[in-house]
Amino acid sequence: MLDRKLIREQPDLIRRMLRDRHLELDLQPLLDLETRRLEITNQVEKLKAERNQANEHIAQKKKQKADIGGDILAMRKLGETIKQMDGQLKEVESGLQAALLSIPNLPHESVPRGADESANQEVRRWGMRPEFAFTPKPHWELGDVLGMLDTERAAKISGARFVVYRNTGARLERALIQFMLDTQTQEAGYMEIFPPLLVNRDAMIGTGQLPKLENDMFRTAEDDFFLIPTAEVPVTNLHCQEVLQQGLLPIKYAAYTPCFRREAGTYGKDTKGIVRQHQFNKVELVKITHPDNSYAELESLVLDAENILQKLNLHYRVKALSTGDMSFASAKGYDLEVWHPGGGRYWEVSSCSNFEAFQARRANIRFKDSEGRTRFCHTLNGSGLATSRLLPAIMENYQTAEGGIEIPEVLIPYVNGKRKITPQGEFA
RNA sequence: GGAGGGCUAGCAUAACUGGUAAUGCAGCAGACUUGAAAUCUGCCGUCCAUUGCGGACUUGGGGGUUCGAGUCCCUCGCCCUCCGCCA
């Protein structure tokens, strides 16, 4: 949510920034509502001041046992008027709130301006594409032949865009999650969190998934819970409605959770393999920071995510997202894309964002600064990383001419010291 | 699912039969001090106004009764205790 004072005082700035995001938004209705809100507020507050004064009189007269019948009669009408105006004010306020909740964040000045993903800027790349003396297979072939991934049986029990990890596939998936959590908690100073996977509506509004993206979320009809689309939702909202001590910042959390997305409107897209699923596993990194440090914390967050790929020795590139490609709540973001030799393309395995105070304002996450003032924190998050894109990358990059898969060095301790998966689909 | 108790500022605690939210701790600024502690003063939830005075709102959310609601009524949420069910 944007600061309404900023909207009121610098509407042209807001218009320009949103235009940078390729959003032609007519701010006028919102500004009109805000003007109306101030008008009504001023009027009704005068009446309330009058009422408060009169009430004080009545209370005093009553104490002296004087007759107050006439005063009460006179106040009745005023009470009615106030009630009516409060009703109007409430209507204006809820309209205003709805409008505010659906406006995306403003892009930071350093974000590349552009219409879509083609305007994203490559910031750096690490490692090289591996050379194969044979034609590398895509992960869905490997997964099928080696008995690691079973999408057909998943379809029977759930449907399209689900997968059953089996045998070495299940084990490798679990090893990856463990490895990523260990790295982030032991080397990068994140605290491990394992949150609920069902959250309430307020939490979804707090991080910005709602109201805009309700159609992309799984929702339980009976209780109005949402299956989390990312651990960002429960973990960031851990501190909603709180005032944090400045000394606690930055707060750094790492959380493994399954993530659930309806992927509405993607029918027929990325159906090969497991890169786009209704349920996938992800280790998420969340930071709650002082506003002065959030951009430095964003850079180090990206490095923390990159660290996983480097340890796995996977070639990747980092892209600064353009104004046309960044997410709703983000002020600035980077994507990490890893090379899939079998598929012959890069896939996003992480997206790291600074939301500045956008989420903090919605979720009411504040801190006391060194002047004793209560201010909004900045929130950040990034995947560290998503396994549905990472496991395929490992399978495709580490496949052998014989048709098996080597285990990356760092994962060997996590699979009981085994060094490879044989062409028969067993650890060895 | 049922019964009872509770929810007041960062924390902790008050408020007569309804009369308009008090206090302590912590924090911030200032005064005093060589410095600190102690002490004193102000600030210490949100909004509006601001040349100056100020005003309104805020007792988990929403609604009702009333001239007036922390207090009474309805409703929803959450926490605690117990019963039932359950991995």
Side-chain angles (χ1 to χ4, degrees), chain A residues 26 31 45 67 91 96 102 112 126 129 169-170 172 189 267 272 286 315 332 336 341 360 362 372 403 405:
Chain A
D26 186 5
L31 289 169
E45 283 191 0
D67 178 47
E91 228 170 276
L96 208 49
S102 63
W126 186 90
R129 296 184 190 182
L172 206 53
Y267 306 110
K272 286 280 190 190
V286 172
H315 163 60
K332 180 176 184 170
L336 266 53
R362 291 171 162 242
I405 294 172

Side-chain angles (χ1 to χ4, degrees), chain A residues 161-162 209 215-218 227-232 258-264 266 276-280 282 284 348 383 386 389:
Chain A
R161 293 210 191 284
F162 285 95
Q209 281 72 23
N215 198 34
D216 290 320
M217 305 299 156
F218 287 109
L227 275 76
I228 59 170
T230 156
E232 162 195 352
C259 302
F260 304 92
R261 298 182 184 181
R262 289 192 60 226
E263 296 292 350
T266 64
R276 191 177 296 280
Q277 301 284 300
H278 287 310
Q279 174 186 330
F280 62 94
K282 180 158 64 69
E284 183 77 0
E348 174 193 334
S383 348
R389 307 269 170 86

Side-chain angles (χ1 to χ4, degrees), chain A residues 73-88:
Chain A
L73 219 60
M75 291 308 292
R76 206 165 274 169
K77 180 133 199 218
L78 187 59
E80 278 305 312
T81 312
I82 288 174
K83 187 177 278 187
Q84 201 191 342
M85 290 181 76
D86 270 342
Q88 288 173 19

Side-chain angles (χ1 to χ4, degrees), chain A residues 92-103:
Chain A
V92 170
E93 184 64 49
S94 75
L96 208 49
Q97 194 68 9
L100 285 168
L101 283 177
S102 63
I103 299 177

Side-chain angles (χ1 to χ4, degrees), chain A residues 1 7 22 26 54 62 71 108 117 124 132 162 180 211 215 217 232 244 268 282 327 332 336:
Chain A
M1 191 155 61
I7 298 179
H22 300 274
D26 186 5
K62 199 176 174 187
D71 299 271
H108 188 256
E117 60 188 41
R124 57 181 168 269
F132 291 92
F162 285 95
M180 294 191 291
N215 198 34
M217 305 299 156
E232 162 195 352
L244 301 160
K282 180 158 64 69
S327 69
K332 180 176 184 170
L336 266 53

